[in-house]
PDB file of all heavy atoms in Angstrom:
ATOM      1  N   TRP A 115     -16.479   7.982  -1.879  1.00 96.00           N
ATOM      2  CA  TRP A 115     -16.207   7.655  -0.480  1.00 96.00           C
ATOM      3  C   TRP A 115     -14.911   6.843  -0.345  1.00 96.00           C
ATOM      4  O   TRP A 115     -14.086   7.110   0.519  1.00 96.00           O
ATOM      5  CB  TRP A 115     -17.399   6.884   0.114  1.00 96.00           C
ATOM      6  CG  TRP A 115     -17.264   6.732   1.599  1.00 96.00           C
ATOM      7  CD1 TRP A 115     -16.892   5.625   2.293  1.00 96.00           C
ATOM      8  CD2 TRP A 115     -17.470   7.757   2.581  1.00 96.00           C
ATOM      9  NE1 TRP A 115     -16.851   5.873   3.633  1.00 96.00           N
ATOM     10  CE2 TRP A 115     -17.204   7.187   3.836  1.00 96.00           C
ATOM     11  CE3 TRP A 115     -17.838   9.113   2.515  1.00 96.00           C
ATOM     12  CZ2 TRP A 115     -17.315   7.905   5.031  1.00 96.00           C
ATOM     13  CZ3 TRP A 115     -17.954   9.815   3.704  1.00 96.00           C
ATOM     14  CH2 TRP A 115     -17.692   9.219   4.934  1.00 96.00           C
ATOM     15  N   PRO A 126     -13.340   9.766   8.539  1.00 94.00           N
ATOM     16  CA  PRO A 126     -14.772   9.778   8.174  1.00 94.00           C
ATOM     17  C   PRO A 126     -15.587  10.662   9.102  1.00 94.00           C
ATOM     18  O   PRO A 126     -16.566  11.269   8.680  1.00 94.00           O
ATOM     19  CB  PRO A 126     -15.186   8.313   8.309  1.00 94.00           C
ATOM     20  CG  PRO A 126     -13.913   7.523   8.192  1.00 94.00           C
ATOM     21  CD  PRO A 126     -12.820   8.393   8.733  1.00 94.00           C
ATOM     22  N   LEU A 129     -16.411  14.132   7.841  1.00 96.00           N
ATOM     23  CA  LEU A 129     -17.083  14.310   6.552  1.00 96.00           C
ATOM     24  C   LEU A 129     -18.592  14.418   6.730  1.00 96.00           C
ATOM     25  O   LEU A 129     -19.202  13.633   7.460  1.00 96.00           O
ATOM     26  CB  LEU A 129     -16.734  13.149   5.610  1.00 96.00           C
ATOM     27  CG  LEU A 129     -15.231  13.009   5.340  1.00 96.00           C
ATOM     28  CD1 LEU A 129     -14.953  11.779   4.490  1.00 96.00           C
ATOM     29  CD2 LEU A 129     -14.686  14.258   4.660  1.00 96.00           C
ATOM     30  N   VAL A 131     -22.275  15.207   4.350  1.00 96.00           N
ATOM     31  CA  VAL A 131     -22.716  15.299   2.956  1.00 96.00           C
ATOM     32  C   VAL A 131     -24.054  16.006   2.870  1.00 96.00           C
ATOM     33  O   VAL A 131     -24.816  16.062   3.834  1.00 96.00           O
ATOM     34  CB  VAL A 131     -22.819  13.909   2.269  1.00 96.00           C
ATOM     35  CG1 VAL A 131     -21.494  13.173   2.339  1.00 96.00           C
ATOM     36  CG2 VAL A 131     -23.949  13.094   2.842  1.00 96.00           C
ATOM     37  N   TRP A 144     -26.147   7.056   1.018  1.00 96.00           N
ATOM     38  CA  TRP A 144     -25.167   7.542   1.996  1.00 96.00           C
ATOM     39  C   TRP A 144     -25.386   6.857   3.356  1.00 96.00           C
ATOM     40  O   TRP A 144     -24.421   6.507   4.036  1.00 96.00           O
ATOM     41  CB  TRP A 144     -25.273   9.057   2.166  1.00 96.00           C
ATOM     42  CG  TRP A 144     -24.664   9.867   1.046  1.00 96.00           C
ATOM     43  CD1 TRP A 144     -25.325  10.676   0.178  1.00 96.00           C
ATOM     44  CD2 TRP A 144     -23.277   9.951   0.691  1.00 96.00           C
ATOM     45  NE1 TRP A 144     -24.452  11.256  -0.713  1.00 96.00           N
ATOM     46  CE2 TRP A 144     -23.176  10.824  -0.412  1.00 96.00           C
ATOM     47  CE3 TRP A 144     -22.123   9.363   1.189  1.00 96.00           C
ATOM     48  CZ2 TRP A 144     -21.966  11.132  -1.026  1.00 96.00           C
ATOM     49  CZ3 TRP A 144     -20.908   9.661   0.599  1.00 96.00           C
ATOM     50  CH2 TRP A 144     -20.826  10.536  -0.506  1.00 96.00           C
ATOM     51  N   ARG A 145     -26.668   6.667   3.718  1.00 96.00           N
ATOM     52  CA  ARG A 145     -26.954   6.105   5.039  1.00 96.00           C
ATOM     53  C   ARG A 145     -26.664   4.606   5.061  1.00 96.00           C
ATOM     54  O   ARG A 145     -25.926   4.113   5.902  1.00 96.00           O
ATOM     55  CB  ARG A 145     -28.431   6.363   5.391  1.00 96.00           C
ATOM     56  CG  ARG A 145     -28.816   5.875   6.792  1.00 96.00           C
ATOM     57  CD  ARG A 145     -30.307   5.985   7.002  1.00 96.00           C
ATOM     58  NE  ARG A 145     -31.018   5.275   5.923  1.00 96.00           N
ATOM     59  CZ  ARG A 145     -32.294   5.507   5.602  1.00 96.00           C
ATOM     60  NH1 ARG A 145     -32.994   6.411   6.246  1.00 96.00           N
ATOM     61  NH2 ARG A 145     -32.868   4.830   4.620  1.00 96.00           N
ATOM     62  N   VAL A 148     -22.981   3.528   2.603  1.00 93.00           N
ATOM     63  CA  VAL A 148     -21.755   4.104   3.153  1.00 93.00           C
ATOM     64  C   VAL A 148     -21.745   3.997   4.678  1.00 93.00           C
ATOM     65  O   VAL A 148     -20.697   3.870   5.301  1.00 93.00           O
ATOM     66  CB  VAL A 148     -21.622   5.579   2.712  1.00 93.00           C
ATOM     67  CG1 VAL A 148     -20.469   6.270   3.410  1.00 93.00           C
ATOM     68  CG2 VAL A 148     -21.432   5.647   1.195  1.00 93.00           C
ATOM     69  N   GLY A 149     -22.949   4.029   5.252  1.00 93.00           N
ATOM     70  CA  GLY A 149     -23.041   3.923   6.701  1.00 93.00           C
ATOM     71  C   GLY A 149     -22.865   5.245   7.439  1.00 93.00           C
ATOM     72  O   GLY A 149     -22.424   5.284   8.588  1.00 93.00           O
ATOM     73  N   LEU A 150     -23.199   6.344   6.767  1.00 94.00           N
ATOM     74  CA  LEU A 150     -23.074   7.665   7.388  1.00 94.00           C
ATOM     75  C   LEU A 150     -24.292   7.901   8.288  1.00 94.00           C
ATOM     76  O   LEU A 150     -25.421   7.630   7.881  1.00 94.00           O
ATOM     77  CB  LEU A 150     -23.043   8.718   6.274  1.00 94.00           C
ATOM     78  CG  LEU A 150     -22.174   9.950   6.459  1.00 94.00           C
ATOM     79  CD1 LEU A 150     -20.720   9.580   6.711  1.00 94.00           C
ATOM     80  CD2 LEU A 150     -22.293  10.817   5.217  1.00 94.00           C
ATOM     81  N   PRO A 151     -24.088   8.398   9.537  1.00 95.00           N
ATOM     82  CA  PRO A 151     -25.259   8.670  10.383  1.00 95.00           C
ATOM     83  C   PRO A 151     -26.145   9.751   9.756  1.00 95.00           C
ATOM     84  O   PRO A 151     -25.639  10.678   9.127  1.00 95.00           O
ATOM     85  CB  PRO A 151     -24.643   9.152  11.698  1.00 95.00           C
ATOM     86  CG  PRO A 151     -23.209   9.439  11.407  1.00 95.00           C
ATOM     87  CD  PRO A 151     -22.827   8.671  10.177  1.00 95.00           C
ATOM     88  N   GLU A 152     -27.460   9.610   9.950  1.00 94.00           N
ATOM     89  CA  GLU A 152     -28.412  10.555   9.344  1.00 94.00           C
ATOM     90  C   GLU A 152     -28.124  11.995   9.761  1.00 94.00           C
ATOM     91  O   GLU A 152     -28.389  12.939   9.020  1.00 94.00           O
ATOM     92  CB  GLU A 152     -29.841  10.193   9.747  1.00 94.00           C
ATOM     93  CG  GLU A 152     -30.364   8.996   8.986  1.00 94.00           C
ATOM     94  CD  GLU A 152     -31.877   8.832   9.132  1.00 94.00           C
ATOM     95  OE1 GLU A 152     -32.522   9.734   9.709  1.00 94.00           O
ATOM     96  OE2 GLU A 152     -32.384   7.811   8.647  1.00 94.00           O
ATOM     97  N   ARG A 154     -25.457  13.473   9.803  1.00 94.00           N
ATOM     98  CA  ARG A 154     -24.450  14.123   8.956  1.00 94.00           C
ATOM     99  C   ARG A 154     -24.840  14.119   7.473  1.00 94.00           C
ATOM    100  O   ARG A 154     -24.014  14.345   6.611  1.00 94.00           O
ATOM    101  CB  ARG A 154     -23.080  13.475   9.191  1.00 94.00           C
ATOM    102  CG  ARG A 154     -22.485  13.939  10.530  1.00 94.00           C
ATOM    103  CD  ARG A 154     -20.992  13.713  10.613  1.00 94.00           C
ATOM    104  NE  ARG A 154     -20.694  12.352  11.039  1.00 94.00           N
ATOM    105  CZ  ARG A 154     -19.788  11.563  10.452  1.00 94.00           C
ATOM    106  NH1 ARG A 154     -19.116  12.006   9.419  1.00 94.00           N
ATOM    107  NH2 ARG A 154     -19.576  10.345  10.906  1.00 94.00           N
ATOM    108  N   ILE A 155     -26.121  13.834   7.203  1.00 95.00           N
ATOM    109  CA  ILE A 155     -26.630  13.942   5.827  1.00 95.00           C
ATOM    110  C   ILE A 155     -27.678  15.057   5.835  1.00 95.00           C
ATOM    111  O   ILE A 155     -28.654  14.984   6.579  1.00 95.00           O
ATOM    112  CB  ILE A 155     -27.282  12.628   5.358  1.00 95.00           C
ATOM    113  CG1 ILE A 155     -26.357  11.438   5.631  1.00 95.00           C
ATOM    114  CG2 ILE A 155     -27.630  12.711   3.866  1.00 95.00           C
ATOM    115  CD1 ILE A 155     -26.998  10.084   5.374  1.00 95.00           C
TER     116      ILE A 155
END
Side-chain angles (χ1 to χ4, degrees):
W115 190 257
L129 301 176
V131 303
W144 283 114
R145 183 188 54 200
V148 172
L150 215 57
E152 284 194 7
R154 285 199 276 134
I155 310 172

